[in-house]
Amino acid sequence: MTQTLTQLENRGEFIRRHIGASPEQQLHMLKTVGAASLEDLTRHIVPDDIQLDIPPAVGEGATEQDALAELKTIAGLNQQFTSYIGQGYAPTILPPVILRNLLENPGWYTAYTPYQPEISQGRLEALLNFQQVTIDLTGLELASASLLDEATAAAEAMAMAKRVSKKKNANRFLLRMMCIRKPWM
């Protein structure tokens, strides 16, 4: 049976378009794993101490349009502040061409496909590029970039130093901290 584009859009049924197998597919999957129903499957895989006696009162589902309108209202409450991306622990002068083409480039924080984790995919690509530039500029065989922040980067560096150290019983690090007053403070 051929369906029209309007029938395929089905704008009011967000959940059906994005999540879920047909009832026939569900029955096939349940039979394959040996469960009588989704509730039966849940009882077998979710530990008893975290199962609820009664379902939470979440109310009726919203249409896609209603959900988007509510999210837009919530997002409208956000306040915009100055971004300090790329400023780390020391004041940094970042040329506008780099700022726009790297840090503000939507390609770094926009999903390429609907199932990718949006900003994390672009950030991962940026970190990999940073590592490669570091290798190219320094001539080192290896470079690393933290996946989180400066503190995590320091912890990762210490963990790596510990792993490659010939003194396996050395369990202390000497850290030299620098306090630099940032111009916006």
Side-chain angles (χ1 to χ4, degrees):
M1 177 177 125
T2 304
Q3 291 182 317
T4 66
L5 182 58
T6 305
Q7 290 170 320
L8 291 172
E9 279 182 338
N10 197 5
R11 293 179 182 223
E13 197 177 349
F14 176 78
I15 293 174
R16 180 81 180 111
R17 284 189 294 123
H18 293 276
I19 301 173
S22 69
E24 296 80 22
Q25 291 169 325
Q26 285 184 16
L27 287 174
H28 178 70
M29 288 186 279
L30 289 168
K31 182 179 176 185
T32 301
V33 297
S37 66
L38 291 175
E39 291 77 16
D40 181 45
L41 177 63
T42 302
R43 277 192 299 276
H44 284 88
I45 61 173
V46 177
D48 291 336
D49 57 339
I50 63 170
Q51 286 189 32
L52 299 175
D53 294 330
I54 56 171
V58 294
E60 294 296 317
T63 66
E64 182 174 4
Q65 290 81 11
D66 291 342
L68 290 173
E70 184 177 350
L71 289 171
K72 187 174 183 179
T73 301
I74 293 169
L77 300 173
N78 289 338
Q79 297 179 25
Q80 292 186 358
F81 297 99
T82 303
S83 172
Y84 295 111
I85 293 175
Q87 301 231 348
Y89 285 124
T92 304
I93 297 172
L94 195 60
V97 68
I98 294 175
L99 180 68
R100 176 66 193 124
N101 290 303
L102 289 179
L103 297 180
E104 295 177 350
N105 182 347
W108 296 117
Y109 54 84
T110 304
Y112 305 109
T113 55
Y115 53 82
Q116 282 185 323
E118 291 86 25
I119 196 168
S120 62
Q121 188 66 31
R123 184 169 181 170
L124 177 60
E125 186 176 347
L127 288 169
L128 292 172
N129 287 337
F130 174 80
Q131 288 174 207
Q132 188 59 52
V133 167
T134 302
I135 290 169
D136 292 345
L137 291 175
T138 62
L140 295 170
E141 294 179 18
L142 179 68
S144 182
S146 172
L147 294 178
L148 297 175
D149 53 28
E150 290 88 349
T152 304
E156 288 174 2
M158 290 188 291
M160 185 176 74
K162 172 71 174 158
R163 284 192 301 271
V164 300
S165 173
K166 292 179 182 169
K167 296 182 178 182
K168 296 301 176 194
N169 61 346
N171 293 317
R172 294 187 182 175
F173 283 90
L174 175 63
L175 298 177
R176 181 172 181 254
M177 301 298 289
M178 291 179 54
C179 295
I180 299 174
R181 184 169 171 80
K182 295 181 181 182
W184 61 84
M185 297 177 101

